Amino acid sequence: MSVPTDIQLLTDELRAVLKCSILTPGASGYAESILRWNDAVPNAAALVVFPESPEDVSAIVRSCVKYKVSFAVAAGKHTTSTGSSCDGGVVIDLARINHVVTELETRIVTVGGGCRWKDVDDALVGQNLAMVEGIVNDTGVGGITLGGGYGWLAPRYGLILDNLLAATVVLADGSIVVASRTENSDLFWAIRGAGQCFGVVVEFVFLAHEHRDPVWAGLLGFTLDQLEAVFGFGNRLVESTNGDSAMVVQLSRYPFSRQGREVGIMAVVFHYGDAESAQAVFKPLLDLGPIVNTTMAQTYASVNNMMTAEAKRGGRNVSKGAAFTTPLRPEFLREVIVPEMDRLQAEIPGSDRSIIEFEFYKPDKWCEVPVTATAHGHRGRVQNVMIGLYWNDEQDDVRMEYWSRHIADLVAVERATHGRPAEGPVTEYGNYDHLSAHARDVYGVNYARLVELKKVYDPDNVFNKWFSLVE
């Protein structure tokens, strides 16, 4: 008689103690359960478990530790890294923990760890409340919150994690604790920036903000000959806005530019106000005669949905972050970045879906928070670049990952040689990285404290799928 493997023993134990769905290879729904944003991620999980409560999560973590079986936690599955995958191990999929509860008087919103931002938007319809969230509502609440969280309302109210009041966390020993400013405050400090390294957050408690629709937003498409005017406007917007207006500019061929095989420009614009006040702010762009113009007064929820259809899941892809200071030189874009994109397009099949995205947000609000107040290290007066690459063939995986780092390096050199000196700390934005950065470069001055807290809360490095805090 053969000796049962650790996975078999674990599976039998979980089936005996849990009532939730447990999928093994070949089971109905298994193939869909292991799909990720990035098809290049190895993810032949031996077991996918769908807990329905914190107690379920606790039991799974305890059993994985008992049998020394590696596991990963999945929620929105929006990352291009291996962070939510576990080839040969267990995936704890939080999709069934997806409640949203609103307290109107206090503006407190409690969100299950498996929610995506669309779940939150849908729950807030008619409540006259809005949350700080990312710009694509298909993103999971957990991942973006625990790693930072930039978005349209961040210039008004701070990062997503700055609006987090408390969290319920399952720790490495299976215990279920609440982390807040008054309870387990050191853990609360750590999860706001490095949460994936410390436990499974099964519930978030956020502060929402009073809100009245409509806002004004949409896409403005331009040809490459208008590059100087578009990016020049972005530079000025950061300095002139009070935080009500923001813009994200994408250089791409497809799908955003609609320019076939020529690099084009898509400006995604947002204004917290009515159409008249918005058009006064964005008049210089509107006067350029954009070839695409979808701007209109709309609900905040619809703004968060307007890029979701284009930001499709699947395919071989990777993301990487970088940072720049304004004013960003258009010459750098035209003479360095665009030729790099042309070379990529000529050499790598399927790379025409790639985008390089430049954010233009007023950073004052999140810079008001001292960098050591949370684990999030990226609070300098800089703007983010998101390098989002797509390709077709496995043989190009390594080359594309290298190219993502190469472009990030070019941005860093441009900032160092031609940019305005950065005020405050400049690190890698971990949510945009595919885990190629070192944790020191993500957490900066907070790294040493995180390493010490890791020894307290997870001494055996059970949560090992995110940036390493083990020395």
Side-chain angles (χ1 to χ4, degrees), residues 415-432:
R415 187 184 74 241
T417 56
H418 296 287
R420 176 189 298 173
E423 299 176 25
V426 180
T427 64
E428 299 249 7
Y429 178 36
N431 279 349
Y432 284 170

Side-chain angles (χ1 to χ4, degrees), residues 12-317:
D12 290 343
E13 182 167 301
L14 291 180
R15 290 194 189 281
V17 300
L18 298 177
K19 296 181 180 179
C20 62
S21 179
I22 299 174
L23 302 180
T24 53
S28 176
Y30 171 84
E32 182 181 0
S33 75
I34 65 170
L35 292 177
R36 294 295 182 270
W37 189 268
N38 178 9
D39 290 345
V41 170
N43 193 28
L47 204 64
V48 182
V49 191
F50 292 85
E52 298 179 1
S53 69
E55 290 74 21
D56 285 352
V57 175
S58 174
I60 300 165
V61 170
R62 289 178 190 272
S63 295
C64 286
V65 171
K66 175 181 176 180
Y67 292 105
K68 296 182 172 58
V69 173
S70 181
F71 67 89
V73 181
K77 308 170 188 174
H78 202 276
T79 178
T80 66
S81 78
T82 57
S84 65
S85 305
C86 195
D87 201 35
V90 175
V91 170
I92 303 173
D93 193 318
L94 301 179
R96 309 282 170 82
I97 305 178
N98 61 352
H99 55 277
V100 181
V101 179
T102 305
E103 299 177 20
L104 292 179
E105 290 186 3
T106 59
R107 294 184 282 116
I108 291 176
V109 180
T110 302
V111 180
C115 286
R116 295 180 180 174
W117 283 108
K118 187 177 188 305
D119 299 320
V120 178
D121 287 337
D122 290 347
L124 294 184
V125 169
Q127 305 292 321
N128 294 326
L129 294 175
M131 302 268 287
V132 181
E133 59 185 271
I135 65 176
V136 176
N137 68 5
D138 191 44
T139 306
V141 170
I144 191 173
T145 299
L146 299 176
Y150 299 82
W152 299 125
L153 294 186
R156 290 173 62 92
Y157 303 120
L159 303 178
I160 298 174
L161 62 79
D162 294 331
N163 291 270
L164 183 65
L165 301 178
T168 302
V169 189
V170 178
L171 299 177
D173 63 0
S175 59
I176 303 170
V177 302
V178 173
S180 69
R181 287 181 174 84
T182 58
E183 193 171 358
N184 297 303
S185 58
D186 55 351
L187 178 63
F188 188 56
W189 177 89
I191 66 171
R192 287 177 293 162
Q196 296 94 330
C197 302
F198 287 87
V200 185
V201 179
V202 292
E203 189 171 80
F204 298 86
V205 180
F206 292 103
L207 179 66
H209 302 276
E210 293 181 1
H211 171 74
R212 293 289 188 278
D213 284 322
V215 296
W216 181 91
L219 310 179
L220 296 173
F222 303 93
T223 54
L224 192 60
D225 62 303
Q226 295 171 310
L227 182 149
E228 286 77 10
V230 174
F231 281 88
F233 174 81
N235 289 330
R236 295 189 298 274
L237 182 66
V238 171
E239 301 301 324
S240 62
T241 182
N242 62 359
D244 285 348
S245 304
M247 181 171 77
V248 172
V249 184
Q250 299 163 337
L251 294 178
S252 65
R253 287 179 173 79
Y254 173 91
F256 296 105
S257 70
R258 310 295 190 191
Q259 292 304 295
R261 301 182 71 84
E262 298 296 325
V263 172
I265 305 166
M266 186 63 74
V268 189
V269 296
F270 173 83
H271 179 74
Y272 195 86
D274 60 23
E276 183 178 357
S277 62
Q279 288 165 5
V281 172
F282 288 95
K283 186 176 186 299
L285 285 187
L286 297 170
D287 286 350
L288 293 175
I291 56 175
V292 173
N293 185 348
T294 69
T295 58
M296 62 179 178
Q298 55 186 296
T299 67
Y300 177 64
S302 66
V303 169
N304 299 326
N305 192 54
M306 68 183 181
M307 293 175 62
T308 299
E310 299 287 9
K312 295 177 181 177
R313 294 169 178 260
R316 310 187 81 83
N317 61 83

Side-chain angles (χ1 to χ4, degrees), residues 323-325 408-422 426:
F324 68 95
T325 53
D409 289 342
L410 290 176
V411 174
V413 169
E414 171 68 14
R415 187 184 74 241
T417 56
H418 296 287
R420 176 189 298 173
V426 180

